[in-house]
Structure formats: C-alpha cells, structure tokens
Amino acid sequence: QESGKKHSIHGMYIPWPWTVNVGGQGYYFKNKQEAVQFIQKKIAAGKENIDVGCMQINLRHHIHAFANLEEALEPANNIHYAAKFLREKYKKLKNWSKAIAHYHSSTNIHGSNYQRAVFKIANNIDHHRFLLKKYLYNTKNHITMNLDDFAYEARGMSTMQLSKKID
C-alpha cells in the first residue's frame, strides 16, 4: 500500500519498486540507482527510519535482511523477504489478522490501522485486478506484457474473453 504510485493517466495505484519512505515522507524514483543514491544521502545525514522497495522494508528494524541497498530494492528480494517476515509473524501469532498488523507494527494502533487498510485492498482485489488487466491490454499503452492468465482461466474466463470484456 505504501509503495503505490498513482498512474497519471489511468488514475490507478500501482506498486512502485523504487519507493523510499523517510520518516513518513514518501519518495518515488525513476530507477534503482536514483533510489540507492537518495538512501545513501539520508543515511549519511543520520536518518534511520527508512522504508524501501515495493514492500517497504524498514532498514532500521531489518538491517541484516539484505547484503546491500541494491539487493533491498530488487523487487524479487524485497517481496521474498516480506513474505518470509509475514510467515514468521503468523507462525508466532497463529492468526493472519494479527500477523498482518504486526508486519507493520506491534504497536496496536499502528498495526490495526495498517491491517484495516490491507483488508480494504484485499476486499477489492477483483476490482484492482480488473483495472490492471484493462491497463495492460489497452493498446494505447503499447504494452506487450501478459499478466497471469491462469488467474482468470481458473475462474473459467480466458484472456481472450477478458480482452473482449474490457474493450
């Protein structure tokens, strides 16, 4: 949720891998190198509360999660670590709602607010998926990316049927 960047034309939020949050202020960069340079400057200036990447991993609390900043900002690494961390929370708490809250913060008010925001997104996942498919299949965008056809085929709808539905 924190790494969502609103698309200027389509008005939908998309996860942005080169997102950095410093003390509650979000920054979006064109590429990984710009993000790394920004983080290095903030660390040199004494900032410690820095969240990085699409899953917003906090460098202060997860200092040993990655070998370097480049690794932390690599989407696959960032997501893998976040999933591992969330599984560890679930293993300890035996409850997904609590695990999601504690993923963000074990302080009740912060964790609860985060958990509600995640559930709001999850409850609207089909709408978000539809918007993303619409965006990806819009010929004006010149995108040739093919996004998880199996998710729709599992529901009995082929990609071709979906494309027709969107048009």
Side-chain angles (χ1 to χ4, degrees):
Q1 104 177 356
E2 293 95 344
S3 68
K5 183 177 181 184
K6 192 169 186 176
H7 193 283
S8 60
I9 296 170
H10 300 284
M12 59 187 252
Y13 286 90
I14 55 173
W16 192 248
W18 303 293
T19 302
V20 178
N21 186 303
V22 180
Q25 176 66 46
Y27 301 89
Y28 302 93
F29 298 93
K30 292 179 192 174
N31 57 52
K32 186 192 304 184
Q33 193 55 42
E34 284 183 13
V36 167
Q37 290 171 353
F38 177 81
I39 295 165
Q40 289 170 334
K41 287 178 185 175
K42 293 298 178 182
I43 291 171
K47 301 292 183 183
E48 295 179 353
N49 188 18
I50 303 172
D51 300 331
V52 301
C54 51
M55 301 304 290
Q56 292 293 274
I57 305 300
N58 186 281
L59 296 178
R60 176 174 49 189
H61 297 295
H62 305 276
I63 194 164
H64 300 295
F66 306 103
N68 54 50
L69 293 174
E70 289 82 2
E71 185 179 295
L73 286 163
E74 185 61 39
N77 297 335
N78 198 272
I79 293 167
H80 177 77
Y81 180 79
K84 177 182 166 190
F85 181 64
L86 182 59
R87 279 192 308 270
E88 289 170 1
K89 291 294 181 183
Y90 176 75
K91 188 176 178 182
K92 179 180 176 186
L93 299 167
K94 309 285 191 239
N95 178 295
W96 281 113
S97 293
K98 289 180 182 177
I100 291 167
H102 282 235
Y103 173 90
H104 181 70
S105 175
S106 58
T107 304
N108 189 40
I109 188 68
H110 300 300
S112 295
N113 289 340
Y114 181 83
Q115 182 254 1
R116 281 192 295 280
V118 169
F119 279 15
K120 182 178 178 183
I121 292 168
N123 288 334
N124 293 304
I125 199 70
D126 287 335
H127 176 69
H128 293 294
R129 187 177 289 136
F130 177 79
L131 290 176
L132 184 57
K133 281 283 195 177
K134 184 177 178 181
Y135 172 73
L136 292 175
Y137 284 98
N138 183 341
T139 56
K140 292 178 187 172
N141 294 318
H142 305 291
I143 292 178
T144 58
M145 187 186 306
N146 188 350
L147 183 67
D148 67 346
D149 294 343
F150 67 90
Y152 286 97
E153 291 174 348
R155 293 187 172 148
M157 183 184 292
S158 70
T159 304
M160 189 63 97
Q161 289 169 318
L162 178 67
S163 294
K164 288 178 185 175
K165 183 175 182 175
I166 291 171
D167 293 336

